[in-house]
Amino acid sequence: MSKVVFVAQNRQGRGSSEARRVRKAGRIPAVLYGRSGKAISIDLEALEFTNGIKNISESTIVKVDVEGKTYDAFVKDTQRNIMDGKVLHVDFYEVESDAVVKARVSIHLKGSPAGVREGGVLEFPLQQIEVECLPKDLPERIELDISGLGVGQAIYIRDLPLAAGVRVFTPLEQAVALVKRAKDASASASSEDDAESAAAPAAAKA
């Protein structure tokens, strides 16, 4: 589980004027949604949050310390200023240690496949999967070593290094990464281009 901690304080005011006051003070208005449906209005230091979210993913469980009371939570949504990219508002969703959570986990490839050095082409069609498990079993990301992958070989969902308690919603026979022969990859790309070209006139006619 992540060791990222965001220190927050209770926010008493409501409305856009209060939000502007909070932002002017260098803080970000936020809401922490509990599993029971209760919402807590909080705010947190803008610079600390901006730096803290750089190394987390959608499946990272962070800690939110609200005036001494700590909650485990997901960073579910961040609203940003379209002009300068600054975070305007944050939604946190609390997770409980004994309740299953559902999240999307990203897959990160490590190493250079042996098959690519032999002239093959690496394809990475599945870059994240949806899982359900207890918070203690939830990976922040999946590191997948593909250095031993040869030409014509693939790594499937069933091959991923996951804890026993993790339920995967993606079909187990789906390929995550594979190395195709160069001519096969070229033919596949050509077929996709032909299909798009054929679909264009039909779409225009419709």
Side-chain angles (χ1 to χ4, degrees):
M1 190 178 293
S2 170
K3 295 182 180 179
V4 176
V5 180
F6 295 118
V7 179
Q9 62 186 26
N10 287 302
R11 178 165 51 95
Q12 303 301 327
R14 300 288 188 277
S16 57
S17 60
E18 173 64 13
R20 284 194 295 269
R21 185 195 67 78
V22 169
R23 296 184 189 112
K24 190 174 181 180
R27 302 181 68 81
I28 301 172
V31 176
L32 172 63
Y33 293 95
R35 290 186 60 86
S36 62
K38 181 181 178 181
I40 305 173
S41 295
I42 58 175
D43 61 68
L44 56 160
E45 207 280 322
L47 183 59
E48 179 191 44
F49 180 79
T50 302
N51 290 333
I53 62 171
K54 290 179 180 178
N55 299 315
I56 69 176
S57 65
E58 185 179 342
S59 59
T60 302
I61 298 175
V62 302
K63 291 188 179 296
V64 184
D65 183 333
V66 184
E67 299 183 8
K69 186 173 182 179
T70 304
Y71 302 84
D72 290 330
F74 288 126
V75 178
K76 272 298 185 181
D77 185 46
T78 56
Q79 298 175 19
R80 294 179 179 269
N81 186 312
I82 60 173
M83 301 300 292
D84 57 20
K86 289 183 178 179
V87 179
L88 300 176
H89 190 273
V90 184
D91 285 341
F92 293 98
Y93 277 68
E94 183 188 7
V95 299
E96 298 177 2
S97 61
D98 59 348
V100 295
V101 295
K102 185 181 290 186
R104 291 187 177 276
V105 181
S106 59
I107 300 171
H108 293 245
L109 303 185
K110 294 171 56 180
S112 176
V116 171
R117 296 192 293 273
E118 298 167 3
V121 177
L122 173 66
E123 294 194 356
F124 185 23
L126 193 64
Q127 299 180 20
Q128 62 177 7
I129 59 172
E130 187 173 24
V131 304
E132 184 179 73
C133 60
L134 290 173
K136 69 180 181 63
D137 296 323
L138 181 64
E140 290 186 46
R141 59 181 58 84
I142 299 170
E143 300 286 348
L144 188 60
D145 186 357
I146 58 170
S147 55
L149 205 57
V151 175
Q153 294 182 331
I155 297 177
Y156 300 92
I157 292 293
R158 60 175 178 266
D159 302 320
L160 295 179
L162 297 172
V166 178
R167 177 189 176 193
V168 182
F169 291 92
T170 311
L172 298 181
E173 65 276 8
Q174 185 165 340
V176 176
L178 63 157
V179 176
K180 286 187 174 181
R181 293 178 177 81
K183 62 178 182 180
D184 293 339
S186 177
S188 176
S190 204
S191 297
E192 290 177 1
D193 290 341
D194 290 344
E196 289 179 2
S197 299
K205 185 176 180 180

